[in-house]
Amino acid sequence: MIFGVLKDIKEGENRVICTPAEVASITAAGHTVLVQKDAGKGAGFSDAAYEKAGGRIATAEEVWTTCDFVAKVKEIDPSEFGYLREDLMIYCCIHPAGHPEEVQAILDSKCIAITAEDSHRYGSPNCEAAGKQGALFGLESMLTINGGKGKFVGGFAGAPGMNVVILGGGVVGQGALSVLHALGANVTVMDINIGLMRQLGERYNQKINTMYCTRENIASVLPQTDLIINCVKWPKQRKDFLITKDMLKLMEPGSVLVDISNDDPGAIESSHETHHDDPRYVVNGVVHYCVSNIPGAVAHSTSVALGCETLPLLLNIMNNGIVEACVSDGYIRRSLTAYKGYLTHEETSGVQGRPWIRPEDILGIADRQLDPAPRATVTRSNNFITCCK
């Protein structure tokens, strides 16, 4: 198979889906790899390093038009829609439920699309990076010179440290927790999973606080909270919020809110997407940090982590084909977004009202022994396509 490593062109994105290490493994497996010129430059990987690993440097057009399978980190940009074609396979963070125009382009092209964010068996390295680096950006936002109230995370002699609330105890929240606890913050994790909160309490020797995550409980702690970090993936069909604009008035001026999830719509009413070149704004006295691409700030480390986790998935598809890969790996199957003109992603169907078909049905593997995987989101859809092929 001819595999292509694309250069990400989204604003502020410097990551690359495969480092030279992964390219070496893919070529060793007998595949040809084309790497778009400067694809890894922003993450510290030169074209010469990719060539040494067995890749061939090519233009964007060559990669798109020559390869059987292409991959990148972020969404397919509108300027790239014209490259999509029938039977081409593409792997990237499509985020299909929130991008109807991208989904339409994928369906119109009849390509085979796999959305990366649903494919990680052990949680996305991007989520870990977003949590850890997001916590550090929160501390940076707390600095007086950035509009924050100037509290130091662990405090000084005679000066208490910061009170931090983390909404959501998943991979993102746990990443933020590990950094903030290590630096001496007084951390409260709020979630709706009692078992998870118990596990976190035991892991940190009961030196963190946990609370059930409701709007009322959040409001009760906001007056004492210096930094709040949102890590909740908010269901896209919900129209309410965990934190409203009026609730921000409960916090002291100069307090900080970091919205790592940054969905639109999301759990925080006052959030809107920002970028690294202008990351902060203030609402009701609270400094907001809402960069949508936090992992892009540590592009080298995130590319290395992403590459090593993604490699087995990519090789499974290249060595065995998409059908057999979906049989042997339930996480690939659940992340199949579109197959030759048919939507195969349940959340997208539920959010956008499009009819869909289950991957196992369109691929004709429903009667086989399939590797199990949990559903990717809580969104459900019975808007099934009644026939296909």
Side-chain angles (χ1 to χ4, degrees), residues 27-332:
T27 56
H31 304 286
T32 299
V33 180
L34 270 59
V35 181
Q36 185 176 339
K37 181 176 173 56
D38 292 334
K41 182 178 180 180
F45 303 105
S46 67
D47 288 346
Y50 282 106
E51 289 179 316
K52 186 176 180 180
R56 180 169 72 82
I57 304 303
T59 65
E61 185 172 1
E62 286 178 300
V63 175
W64 278 107
T65 59
T66 303
C67 294
D68 308 301
F69 184 16
V70 296
K72 57 186 292 195
V73 178
K74 297 300 288 182
E75 303 91 351
I76 307 167
D77 188 82
S79 66
E80 299 170 312
F81 289 171
Y83 286 122
L84 298 175
R85 66 182 192 275
E86 189 169 359
D87 292 332
L88 172 70
M89 288 192 294
I90 182 163
Y91 175 86
C92 63
C93 290
I94 299 169
H95 298 296
H99 293 92
E101 292 181 0
E102 184 183 21
V103 170
Q104 191 61 55
I106 289 170
L107 294 174
D108 289 343
S109 73
K110 298 185 178 180
C111 72
I112 299 168
I114 303 141
T115 191
E117 68 273 12
D118 291 343
S119 69
H120 302 288
R121 185 176 294 268
Y122 305 108
S124 171
N126 294 322
C127 293
E128 178 186 1
K132 291 181 175 179
Q133 188 60 47
L136 294 177
F137 281 132
L139 300 182
E140 182 186 39
S141 301
M142 180 62 68
L143 298 177
T144 309
I145 56 176
N146 288 324
K149 56 184 176 181
K151 292 190 73 170
F152 182 70
V153 56
F156 302 129
M162 289 168 52
N163 294 320
V164 180
V165 171
I166 297 174
L167 304 181
V171 176
V172 179
Q174 290 177 39
L177 172 61
S178 68
V179 169
L180 293 164
H181 182 266
L183 293 175
N186 177 35
V187 183
T188 298
V189 178
M190 304 185 76
D191 204 284
I192 59 173
N193 185 329
I194 299 298
L196 174 62
M197 288 189 282
R198 183 176 294 120
Q199 291 172 8
L200 291 176
E202 292 172 351
R203 183 184 304 171
Y204 286 91
N205 297 315
Q206 309 306 330
K207 293 182 179 179
I208 65 168
N209 304 308
T210 57
M211 291 181 68
Y212 196 77
C213 190
T214 65
R215 185 191 295 180
E216 293 72 26
N217 279 347
I218 294 170
S220 74
V221 299
L222 284 183
Q224 299 82 40
T225 298
D226 302 303
L227 168 63
I228 189 161
I229 300 181
N230 178 47
C231 309
V232 174
K233 185 177 181 181
W234 201 237
K236 289 182 171 57
Q237 66 271 24
R238 292 191 64 162
K239 304 302 180 185
D240 58 336
F241 305 99
L242 280 178
I243 297 180
T244 66
K245 290 181 180 179
D246 282 343
M247 289 170 65
L248 298 176
K249 298 174 183 177
L250 298 171
M251 304 181 76
E252 292 183 350
S255 298
V256 174
L257 187 153
V258 177
D259 191 355
I260 296 178
S261 292
N262 203 5
D263 297 314
D264 183 20
I268 312 299
E269 184 181 15
S270 54
S271 285
H272 63 76
E273 182 182 21
T274 61
H275 301 283
H276 290 296
D277 58 351
D278 188 17
R280 300 178 187 87
Y281 59 92
V282 178
V283 177
N284 287 338
V286 176
V287 179
H288 286 53
Y289 185 96
C290 300
V291 171
S292 60
N293 180 23
I294 289 174
V298 282
H300 181 88
S301 293
T302 47
S303 295
V304 172
L306 186 61
C308 69
E309 179 158 338
T310 303
L311 178 62
L313 177 150
L314 297 176
L315 282 175
N316 190 351
I317 295 172
M318 282 186 264
N319 291 340
N320 304 305
I322 188 64
V323 175
E324 293 304 317
C326 285
V327 171
S328 63
D329 190 336
Y331 286 80
I332 297 177

